[in-house]
Amino acid sequence: MPLSNRKTLTQYLIEQRRRFPGASGELNALILDVALACKAIARSVAFGALGDPSTRQLAVANGGDDLGGSTNVQGEVQQPLDIVSNEIFIRTTEWSGHLAGMASEEMDAPRQIPATFKRGKYLLVFDPLDGSSNIDVNVSVGSIFSILRAPTDVVDSARDVTEADFLQPGAAQVAAGYAIYGPTAILVLTVGDGVAGFTLDPNLGEFKLTHPDIRVPAETQEFAINTSNSRFWEPPIKRYVDECLAGRTGVRGKDFNMRWIASMVAEAHRILMRGGVFMYPRDTKDPAKPGRLRLLYECNPVGFIMEQAGGRASTGRQPVLGVKPSALHQRIGIVFGSAQEVERIERYHHERMPVEVESPLFATRGLFRD
Ligand code: F6P
Ligand code: MN
């Protein structure tokens, strides 16, 4: 099997580390452990309906059943693979001595590093399997992760971590990434120096650098939003989508295309590859849920990646990375992607809107009428 001369993830990380002569290498080691978790999850996902026998047992042992009948802390149905992926993340990272604690979409409270292992200086936050409601229909899913520094007193005392230790703004992230399990498995990573993409070489089981400096095109003609929620949208979003739909005949003067995969990782990846804008904005659907996606392990890592790739991520009102989290599983409205489009949406939020935007789309006979 010919060895290509592409860089491996390990090589990329070692080269990145040279920017920080004092760095201990712990961050790199942690990222490589996370990459291993992603490889294991890619493998489990690939078994599909056949069911990877070892992982099915793991799911049942950890509270799931064969039909995925359990629910997570947020009341969402957990697929067996959600539970399996969560376990894989825990087992590949907790032993290393690099983590002070971890938190996940699938766990109610922060997870402590067992006393049998050393405690380290980083916090790992993750969504082990994003878009998992798409598993049954064989659409791309992925894992998302964010690495933060643990507060100094946690590191000094090696005390148990609390929820408060994780409530750091996205701007404090040291590294973030996702792995997408699609026709190929790709790991996309930022350590704060741009964004790089690595394709899993199935022959070697190695992530190889295939997308060295990913940039989000500043302009786009493609948007992604779940329009079934349109009657709950706030006026700035209604206005933006309306203008896209008006196309060439409207104020934008060009036609737009729309996509909705219902797998945020896959939407983020499409936008990194060819531009676009993704919206899951705050809406009035459920007053208890100001947005759909979770700030700490969905919006912040993807926001960091977008900004590092020259794109933008916003709540509509402020940059996502500036939000001070108030809870581990906090939900928030998010708009991300091509910078010019996100800026436009922010502008619509900031502009005072004297009257509700008149829109053919939302009018009495409109397509998305209330
Ligand atoms: O984790 C949340 C998520 O699965 C995202 O991956 C995706 O973008 C969204 O939910 C889909 O939401 P909806 O069901 O409203 O289309
Ligand atoms: Mn998710």
Side-chain angles (χ1 to χ4, degrees):
M1 156 203 341
L3 271 181
S4 78
N5 53 7
R6 290 184 190 280
K7 276 180 201 169
T8 60
L9 173 63
T10 311
Q11 195 178 343
Y12 172 85
L13 288 171
I14 287 171
E15 287 175 10
Q16 284 290 323
R17 187 180 147 206
R18 294 203 181 109
R19 294 189 300 127
F20 304 98
S24 62
E26 286 166 89
L27 178 65
N28 283 2
L30 175 56
I31 292 171
L32 288 172
D33 288 341
V34 169
L36 178 63
C38 295
K39 287 188 230 180
I41 296 167
R43 213 59 212 130
S44 290
V45 168
F47 272 92
L50 294 174
D52 178 350
S54 57
T55 56
R56 185 140 289 217
Q57 277 167 10
L58 200 57
V60 174
N62 285 282
D65 60 38
D66 261 16
L67 302 171
S70 53
T71 52
N72 68 12
V73 55
Q74 299 164 69
E76 289 168 351
V77 173
Q78 283 176 315
Q79 305 279 340
L81 270 170
D82 283 322
I83 301 166
V84 165
S85 305
N86 195 59
E87 273 304 303
I88 290 174
F89 256 88
I90 293 170
R91 290 187 190 189
T92 53
T93 58
E94 68 178 353
W95 61 273
S96 66
H98 306 314
L99 285 181
M102 58 179 108
S104 151
E105 176 175 330
E106 305 303 338
M107 299 188 286
D108 193 352
R111 164 121 184 163
Q112 308 300 338
I113 302 301
T116 41
F117 302 125
K118 255 184 70 189
R119 288 182 174 178
K121 60 183 180 186
Y122 292 109
L123 298 174
L124 177 65
V125 194
F126 53 94
D127 176 354
L129 204 59
D130 179 60
S132 56
S133 65
N134 281 320
I135 281 278
D136 294 342
V137 289
N138 205 16
V139 165
S140 298
V141 291
S143 305
I144 315 174
F145 63 93
S146 162
I147 298 175
L148 297 160
R149 287 194 181 84
T152 42
D153 77 292
V154 174
V155 182
D156 294 346
S157 63
R159 68 161 166 80
D160 279 3
V161 286
T162 64
E163 176 168 355
D165 297 324
F166 290 83
L167 305 183
Q168 306 180 30
Q173 291 170 102
V174 180
Y178 65 79
I180 178 168
Y181 314 119
T184 53
I186 298 183
L187 180 83
V188 170
L189 174 73
T190 180
V191 288
D193 181 37
V195 178
F198 304 82
T199 303
L200 184 61
D201 178 336
N203 283 335
L204 298 176
E206 277 284 349
F207 281 113
K208 294 283 198 66
L209 182 62
T210 44
H211 301 75
D213 184 20
I214 300 175
R215 308 295 298 168
V216 180
E219 280 182 73
T220 184
Q221 291 177 218
E222 202 160 69
F223 68 97
I225 192 164
N226 182 347
T227 47
S228 71
N229 293 324
S230 60
R231 69 184 185 281
F232 305 111
W233 293 342
E234 294 178 331
I237 297 293
K238 286 184 181 174
R239 174 182 173 188
Y240 178 80
V241 173
D242 245 4
E243 289 177 359
C244 292
L245 292 171
R248 189 178 311 184
T249 56
V251 294
R252 299 302 305 271
K254 61 179 183 180
D255 289 337
F256 280 76
N257 205 348
M258 199 197 87
R259 290 284 181 273
W260 187 252
I261 306 173
S263 181
M264 199 262 283
V265 162
E267 318 259 15
H269 194 66
R270 183 189 64 247
I271 288 172
L272 284 174
M273 293 296 111
R274 69 174 190 214
V277 62
F278 171 96
M279 293 165 275
Y280 218 125
R282 185 174 93 179
D283 63 26
T284 59
K285 192 172 185 177
D286 177 352
K289 292 181 185 166
R292 167 88 162 87
L293 300 181
R294 275 56 54 112
L295 176 58
L296 281 170
Y297 41 80
E298 294 180 318
C299 301
N300 276 345
V302 168
F304 190 20
I305 290 166
M306 288 292 152
E307 303 259 338
Q308 282 290 317
R312 203 171 166 86
S314 171
T315 65
R317 292 161 177 80
Q318 68 175 118
V320 161
L321 299 184
V323 176
K324 172 86 177 82
S326 55
L328 196 56
H329 299 289
Q330 178 180 354
R331 294 178 194 258
I332 199 161
I334 187 166
V335 174
F336 65 74
S338 297
Q340 285 183 15
E341 297 302 309
V342 177
E343 277 158 14
R344 175 182 286 267
I345 295 164
E346 287 178 312
R347 199 164 70 239
Y348 289 179
H349 279 85
H350 291 138
E351 274 172 19
R352 284 174 60 90
M353 297 176 73
V355 282
E356 187 84 348
V357 174
E358 269 308 324
S359 137
L361 204 61
F362 294 91
T364 327
R365 292 167 58 204
L367 184 58
F368 300 136
R369 182 164 63 86
D370 281 2

